[in-house]
Amino acid sequence: MDPLILSRIQFGANISFHILFPAITIALGWMLLFFKLRYNATGDTAWMRAYFTWVKVFALSFAMGVVSGVTMSFQFGTNWPGYMETVGNIAGPLLAYEILTAFFLEAAFLGIMLFGFRRVSNRIHTLATVLVAGGTTLSAFWIIALNSWMQTPVGFEMRDGVAHATDWWAIVFNPSMPYRLVHMLLASGLTVSFLIAGLSALRYLNGDRSESMWKALRTGVFTAAILIPIQIFAGDQHGLNTLEHQPQKIAAMEANWNTGPHVPLVLFALPDEAARENRYELTIPDGASLILRHSASGVVPGLNDYAGNHPPVFPVFWAFRIMVGTGVLMLVVSWSAAFFLKRRHSLPRPLALVMVPMALSGWLATLAGWYTTEIGRQPWLVTGVLKTVDAVGPVAGSHVALSLAVYLILYALLLIAYLGVLVYLALKAAKDGDASPLPGVLDAPLSQPAAK
Amino acid sequence: MMLDWPTLLPLIFAGLMGLAILIYVILDGFDLGIGILFAAAEDAEQDTMIAAIGPFWDANETWLVLAVGLLLVAFPLAHGTILTALYIPVFLLLVGLILRGVAFDFRAKVPAGRKHRWNRIFFLGSVIASLAQGYMLGIYVLGLDVGLGGMAFGALVALCLAAAYAAMGAAWVIYKTEGELQKKAVLWLRRALVLTALGMVAVSLATPLASPRIFDKWFVWPAMLYLSPLPVLSAVLFAWLWRQTFHLPKPNDRHALTPFLTLAAIFTLGFAGLAWSFYPFVVPDRLTIWQAASAPESLAIILVGTVVVLPIIIFYSFYAYRVFGGKATDLTYD
């Protein structure tokens, strides 16, 4: 068994599992702050009920994110020692700053946010919510800075095969970093707004007409409706940035085999890397040239320029299409729902039925987006500096096979349990409606010790 | 030794990493220990025990992230060497931490009938994580050479470290609870102490025997004299704590925190002994902290952040502990 392939599958599985939870906690923290501020401003307990319903989801997602994140950081050493040995001088400080500035902040104030409602003043509780939300976002900032640097590395020099930093400002704010960060933050916002809208729709379908359900539903739907066009614009800008810095990735995303003008936009195809052509192609003439170069005769890079040095075409091509397709679906659903909520003050049953599975559309789009960008980086781990194949460690294939099998089973079971709890919480909230106990008393983890 | 930055920085980071590991072992030690003690507790007691660690465990575990993070960022060469050598126990540790970390949250949110399942997973995760850490410590002490004897020694240390964590957990329960559960915890503490002491003796004997270099560091005059307080003080504290277990709990809950602080002191002494043994190596007898360190300019930039942030972290950790001070049994649902 080849430890390289197994390690790649293992890391891929781990990061796929991990990203699901930051995708929720980053924006959910701010959403909770919004609920809390609305409560502070209006004194309406329905906002606080919404807060306490969703803070449970936050806690669970945070725990899932922490444990899978710890697993990921260990894998740098267990499976990819070549990574830190080569670029540790740069990755190290960025990771250190993530732990120092973000991780502790979240972890310490999460306790107050979850269990401290009766222990500290309302003001401190709100402050704890701000700090946790800020912490998760700061965490994303550092991780994306590192990831972007791996995609578009600058501000360093190689000495004896080891990267040394020369310009920290350039490293952190590397060319693709702002685009990637905005794209990811918006993705998190969309993931959370669809999750809230979808689970609220589930409550609605189960007969829940409580004030807290409506508040959450409206917040989710309107946030999604506002964010999705912004995301489409940001995604397009990110694509143009990729064209500039990682043209081979764009060539794979478009399944464009030959560089030239008048490149069509491929809507559907089965890219065949052996024959270096697309089967069953459905195209729009000049489409890719128009989108990427804003001119029908614009030259679009093709894979022929990067023979032997470009990412696998099939997964990148399809991951990109799944992401864009999901985005279009998000646009249609969120705008329809916003229309009915705004104009008719109601939610048609068929639309509610569509919104329930759409609760996970953010996850689908985020994963597809990450596959596009991460597989699109291959065969490089750090573009032009370190190849994935050169970073793998001297671990026996059988050991990796064992750990991989256990991780996969564990992740699958945890995912089922997580989704099960989300649905259970929604149904329970639907049953209790606003007759549930008052906020602050609501949470079962008796972790609600009395004030002294 | 020239005290210039390239010399000092790895030294500082080795110190910080050691500090992070020590704080982790003490703080997450009691979380893991409470998970282990779940096996001996009733339903209602389990709820109280969870309440005793609920607001803290997340921040406690973060010290492990910091410790491994520092190993990763400050000593990248050692990070790879140690973690690839310990692939399987690290993997088990992670599985344990995953199970423990999520069970904690799930048990409070699932339908009542499923709670037991997550309680068992919480116990299982805590046991696996503790055993894996002990095994790793055992193998590290022997210089990362794994033979059959090494594995047996690793297993012994694994058992003893799990017992030591159980002792920490029991001490924390003594501090955070009252009544029957508190009395029970005193008994738990007494039983766990025996294995804890055995583990410390085993590691103390094995370390110098595994490496002539370490032997020579301890058993030469006058180093022996300077170092003698470490084992002597540890033994005295052990004996004193053992005696205390026959008198606790005391009227008005006096000395409720003492067992925990005593254990923390014993851990610190043991840790100091290990640090003395292995310094200046980060991979036993193979890589010194200077050979394994990142470039000075990278360490410098991390140090700037650390110096600013560490006091803040310590400050707000104290704040969080103060907010959730007092007995965990005082539960109200008003």
Side-chain angles (χ1 to χ4, degrees), chain A residues 12 15-17 19-20 319 323 362-372:
Chain A
I15 199 164
S16 300
F17 182 74
I19 189 92
L20 299 176
M323 178 186 76
W363 272 9
L364 181 66
T366 305
L367 278 180
W370 271 102
Y371 290 147
T372 308

Side-chain angles (χ1 to χ4, degrees), chain A residues 89 92 97 105 119 403 441 446, chain B residues 47 87 295 298 301 323 331 333:
Chain A
N89 287 329
Y97 270 82
L105 198 67
R119 289 227 150 191
S403 60
V441 194
L446 15 119
Chain B
D47 287 344
Y87 188 86
S298 292
I301 201 121
V323 167
L331 293 168
Y333 294 95

Side-chain angles (χ1 to χ4, degrees), chain A residues 23-24 27-28 31 35 54 57 185-203 213 215-232 323-338 341 347 351-366 418-419 422-423 426:
Chain A
I24 288 176
L28 189 52
M31 206 65 107
F35 291 160
W54 284 95
V57 176
L185 293 182
L186 287 168
S188 173
L190 283 164
T191 303
V192 168
S193 42
F194 271 95
L195 189 69
I196 291 181
L199 288 180
S200 302
L202 182 65
R203 286 170 65 174
M213 185 284 298
K215 283 187 161 38
L217 179 70
R218 280 196 212 104
T219 309
V221 166
F222 292 135
T223 312
I226 294 167
L227 290 185
I228 187 70
I230 303 176
Q231 177 70 312
I232 290 171
M323 178 186 76
V324 172
T326 310
V328 171
L329 208 57
M330 286 172 145
L331 182 73
V332 173
V333 171
S334 64
W335 281 22
S336 317
L341 286 178
L347 188 66
L351 188 55
L353 280 169
V354 172
M355 282 165 69
V356 174
M358 284 292 282
L360 300 182
S361 58
W363 272 9
L364 181 66
T366 305
Y418 177 84
L419 292 174
L422 287 194
V423 171

Side-chain angles (χ1 to χ4, degrees), chain B residues 168-181:
Chain B
M168 296 291 282
W172 190 252
V173 174
I174 292 171
Y175 169 54
K176 292 296 276 186
T177 69
E178 51 203 355
E180 278 309 305
L181 180 55

Side-chain angles (χ1 to χ4, degrees), chain A residues 118-130:
Chain A
R118 296 272 174 195
R119 289 227 150 191
V120 297
S121 67
N122 188 45
R123 190 177 298 208
I124 296 280
H125 185 254
T126 307
L127 181 67
T129 310
V130 175

Side-chain angles (χ1 to χ4, degrees), chain A residues 82-107:
Chain A
Y83 174 70
M84 289 305 285
E85 281 163 20
T86 311
V87 298
N89 287 329
I90 289 161
L94 298 183
L95 289 170
Y97 270 82
E98 196 243 344
I99 297 170
L100 285 170
T101 60
F103 221 86
F104 274 102
L105 198 67
E106 304 164 81

